[in-house]
Amino acid sequence: MTSQQTTGDHLRLEMRGAVAVIHLTRPAKRNALNDALIALLRNMFEQLPPEARAAVIAGEGEHFCAGLDLSELKDRDSSQGLHHSRMWHSALERVQFGPVPVVAALHGAVVGGGLELASACHIRVADESAFFALPEGSRGIFVGGGGSVRIPKLIGVARMTDMMLTGRVYNAQDGERIGLAQYLVPAGQAFDKAFELASRIAGNAPMTNYALMHALPRIAEQSADHGLFSESMMAAIAQSAPEAKERVRAFLEGKAAKVKKD
Ligand code: 1HE
């Protein structure tokens, strides 16, 4: 079952069963992220239809996203600049710590704020046309959408420093190799693969998805002692959900899929 909801000329939400597909719809501007789009993105993740169990973000046209809309990079004093960056933070925080896991389908340019958006998602699928860069360095600015927190977690401080100091561009193969994407697929197949993964995720027990989105990244930031304690709490909550008991029983009765090689 599919339903569509267009939000201005920037975003389109399409429900495909339990998967919310969010399309960036500014291909003429390479899906550059202006303030209106960032606000709409935050609102969309705050108000996803309740039937959504996973989401995909994809860009229309030849590129995923060209980053910050540079035509809006007007003179801002430091206080306005701070609020602008905090607006991005609040929107991308809704993506990362929102109601459902999000899979980014990446093709063409994944640059600047586009890479910041992708790095707020839980899984990144790149097709062979994708390329990754942080041109902020050459534009005389700095990341402001959470990139300095999230991107080093994917590729390390040294690689991010190099990308920003030298303007280094990673192609899709190298991007996948260093951890900017978890999946690499042939050109034109990023959306299909992302949707396949999101559909699988939508079939997980909701508490498992919640634990992976909300507990795992926090546990990973804790000391080992605190992390192990938090893990035990999360494990106890997840395993006591009725759905977990049903799933384990189904396996023991031979009614659930075994783990098998792809
Ligand atoms: C834009 C933007 C944009 C394209 N803001 N308008 N991001 C960047 O520094 C990347 C800038 N963009 C590019 O390097 C290229 O546009 C692309 C490699 C992404 C695509 O190239 P191409 O040849 O397909 O398109 P194009 O001809 O460069 O652009 C088509 C139109 O989109 C053109 O407008 P037009 O009116 O002349 O048709 C471009 O001006 C427009 N366009 N990218 C505004 N980014 C929270 S802080 C985050 C900080 C950052 O993200 S900084 C990095 C910004």
Side-chain angles (χ1 to χ4, degrees):
M1 203 181 67
T2 300
S3 68
Q4 304 251 0
Q5 179 188 318
T6 302
T7 310
D9 57 356
H10 296 328
L11 285 180
R12 189 173 79 252
L13 170 65
E14 181 193 356
M15 286 305 299
R16 292 196 189 184
V19 178
V21 180
I22 293 146
H23 304 268
L24 306 176
T25 56
R26 292 188 83 204
K29 296 292 180 187
R30 308 316 187 238
N31 297 317
L33 301 168
N34 58 19
D35 290 358
L37 200 158
I38 290 293
L40 289 168
L41 191 66
R42 183 187 56 213
N43 294 345
M44 192 169 273
F45 273 87
E46 277 170 358
Q47 295 162 20
L48 274 187
E51 66 269 27
R53 301 275 291 263
V56 170
I57 296 186
E60 287 191 353
E62 299 301 306
H63 302 280
F64 173 70
C65 178
L68 176 72
D69 187 328
L70 293 168
S71 70
E72 288 190 349
L73 191 63
K74 43 192 180 280
D75 273 348
R76 291 192 187 99
D77 64 23
S78 53
S79 145
Q80 291 164 327
L82 174 71
H83 289 306
H84 180 259
S85 169
R86 296 299 285 162
M87 179 184 76
W88 272 66
H89 289 171
S90 113
L92 298 194
E93 200 263 351
R94 290 288 81 208
V95 175
Q96 182 177 2
F97 294 114
V100 296
V102 186
V103 185
L106 306 176
H107 73 295
V110 185
V111 304
L115 180 51
E116 293 185 286
L117 169 59
S119 67
C121 298
H122 303 91
I123 296 181
R124 285 155 294 280
V125 177
D127 85 9
E128 279 168 352
S129 72
F131 56 97
F132 304 90
L134 290 168
E136 285 89 340
S138 51
R139 308 274 180 245
I141 54 178
F142 188 58
V143 284
S148 59
V149 169
R150 295 192 180 98
I151 296 170
K153 291 197 169 88
L154 302 179
I155 62 173
V157 171
R159 285 198 176 99
M160 178 168 171
T161 305
D162 176 30
M163 287 175 83
M164 291 198 70
L165 283 177
T166 68
R168 182 171 183 166
V169 179
Y170 280 98
N171 65 23
Q173 286 82 5
D174 288 340
E176 190 262 350
R177 176 179 57 78
I178 68 170
L180 286 168
Q182 293 104 315
Y183 293 84
L184 176 63
V185 296
Q189 294 183 21
F191 181 82
D192 288 349
K193 182 66 180 177
F195 185 75
E196 176 201 318
L197 295 170
S199 302
R200 197 185 303 176
I201 291 165
N204 290 342
M207 195 47 72
T208 300
N209 284 347
Y210 183 89
L212 288 165
M213 291 176 67
H214 293 268
L216 177 61
R218 293 182 167 101
I219 290 171
E221 300 277 316
Q222 292 175 346
S223 66
D225 181 46
H226 290 189
L228 292 173
F229 184 74
S230 302
E231 180 185 275
S232 299
M233 299 286 277
M234 193 65 246
I237 292 168
Q239 70 166 30
S240 65
E243 190 162 355
K245 297 193 188 314
E246 271 168 40
R247 285 169 184 248
V248 172
R249 190 178 326 113
F251 174 76
L252 294 173
E253 290 171 0
K255 294 177 189 157
K258 291 185 193 183
V259 176
K260 58 180 191 302
K261 286 192 284 185
D262 266 347

